[in-house]
Structure formats: structure tokens, C-alpha cells
Amino acid sequence: MPKVVLEDNDFTDGSIDILNLLVTAKMAASRSEARRAVEQGGVSVNNEKVTDIKMAYTKEDINKEDFIVKKGKKTFMKIEA
């Protein structure tokens, strides 16, 4: 599974929202594409569907366990901070 390691400058006020996370992980070309994917129910984090575009994650959330982001049926990415 492909993996992305987030840098400190990817976080804003200690957290990263789902839209920036998708763009940083190159799972979406833009924030608007990421927003459409979330609003249409095509994004899940650790097998839980994300429906709120304002959902944010801290470094502790990401490092606590395997942090797997899924977009659509075939695009998976492991995120580390």
C-alpha cells in the first residue's frame, strides 16, 4: 500500500482537515475535487465514512494506529505524521 508522511508544515494549528489531507496525499487534484468526493460519500478513514468536509485530524490521531484513507473503491493510502 502506498504511504505518505506528512510534514509539520502540512498541519494548521496542530491539525489537518480532510480536504487538505486528500490533496497532500495526492488523492485529489484540488480542494474542490476533494470536497466533491467527501460530499458524495466516496471517502473513508479507517473504514468510517467521512461526510463532514470540516473533519480534522491531529498528529496524535494519525500516529495512534494505522491511518488508512480510502477514496472510491480502489484508491488507498496509508498516512503517517
Side-chain angles (χ1 to χ4, degrees):
M1 178 181 309
K3 175 174 83 169
V4 170
V5 178
L6 299 176
E7 303 293 329
D8 287 337
N9 59 352
D10 293 328
F11 292 89
T12 305
D13 296 329
S15 65
I16 185 169
D17 66 16
I18 188 66
L19 302 181
N20 281 332
L21 182 65
L22 290 170
V23 172
T24 303
K26 306 238 185 303
M27 296 177 78
S30 65
R31 284 179 56 88
S32 59
E33 180 183 324
R35 174 174 294 166
R36 280 191 296 276
V38 170
E39 288 174 344
Q40 293 172 1
V43 177
S44 62
V45 173
N46 292 340
N47 292 324
E48 291 184 18
K49 191 177 285 192
V50 177
T51 56
D52 182 11
I53 60 171
K54 294 183 180 170
M55 187 69 185
Y57 302 97
T58 63
K59 276 188 176 184
E60 291 77 29
D61 294 335
I62 294 171
N63 290 328
K64 185 168 37 176
E65 58 184 300
D66 284 346
F67 196 82
I68 310 296
V69 177
K70 179 180 173 188
K71 179 181 166 226
K73 290 184 178 180
K74 299 179 182 176
T75 309
F76 294 86
M77 188 75 67
K78 181 175 182 178
I79 309 293
E80 294 180 357

